[in-house]
Amino acid sequence: MKKSILMMSVTFVLGIMINVNSAALAADLGLVKSLTSKLGVTDEQATGGSGAIFNMAKQNLSKSKFAQIAKAVPGIDKMMKAAPKTESDNGMLGSASSLIEKDAPALSKVASLTNSFSKLGMNADMLDKFTPVILDYVKSKGGDKTMKVLQAVLQ
C-alpha cells in the first residue's frame, strides 16, 4: 500500500515537472518559431541571431531597460548564450571594430551584428529582416513601450 502511494506521488510530481518544462520550452520557441517561419532560417540561426541582437541591446542599455526587454522575451538567456562570440575575435575585425566604435558607435553595432550573422551562415541583409520580426514579437509580449526601448538601441 505504501509502495503504491509512493509510486503515485512520484508519478504525479514527474508529470508536473514534465508539464512545466514543456510549457517553458513552448514559450522559448515563440520568437524562434516566428523567425524560422517568416524568414526561412534554421532554429540555430534564429536562436543565435536573435541572441546576438539581444546581447548588443544588453551592452547598450541600462540594467533596468534591458530587464524590461528580458521580462517580455521568454528564453532570452538561451538565445543570448547561443549567439556567436564576437569579442574574442582579436584579429583585424576586432581592431577595426574598436576604431569604428570610437568614431561611430552605430556602425560598430552593425559590424558586430553582421559578424555574428556571418558566423551563423547568414548575410548582412538578414539583420534587416530579423529586426522587424523581433520588434513585433517584443511589442506583442511587452507592449509598445518595451518595443520602443529595443527599437531605440537598434537604430
Side-chain angles (χ1 to χ4, degrees), residues 22-147:
S22 295
L25 287 175
D28 283 358
L29 297 178
L31 178 56
V32 172
K33 273 189 175 182
S34 186
L35 289 164
T36 57
S37 68
K38 291 178 180 178
L39 304 180
V41 295
T42 67
D43 284 353
E44 180 185 348
Q45 290 171 323
T47 305
S50 57
I53 290 169
F54 291 129
N55 280 333
M56 188 274 300
K58 184 176 183 177
Q59 292 170 1
N60 291 281
L61 289 171
S62 68
K63 284 186 180 187
S64 63
K65 286 192 178 198
F66 184 74
Q68 185 179 346
I69 294 167
K71 183 178 177 185
V73 181
I76 195 169
D77 291 332
K78 179 181 175 184
M79 289 179 242
M80 291 170 65
K81 287 178 185 171
K85 304 290 181 235
T86 57
E87 292 180 359
S88 63
D89 301 337
N90 290 329
M92 288 182 59
L93 185 58
S95 300
S97 181
S98 63
L99 288 174
I100 291 170
E101 188 172 337
K102 290 177 187 173
D103 293 329
L107 287 176
S108 177
K109 290 178 198 175
V110 172
S112 176
L113 289 173
T114 301
N115 185 24
S116 292
F117 274 57
S118 175
K119 288 182 177 188
L120 291 165
M122 297 184 287
N123 62 30
D125 294 339
M126 287 306 289
L127 178 57
D128 292 334
K129 294 176 182 177
F130 264 62
T131 302
V133 175
I134 290 174
L135 290 173
D136 286 345
Y137 183 84
V138 170
K139 183 177 181 178
S140 74
K141 297 296 182 183
D144 197 50
K145 185 178 177 183
T146 303
M147 183 272 298

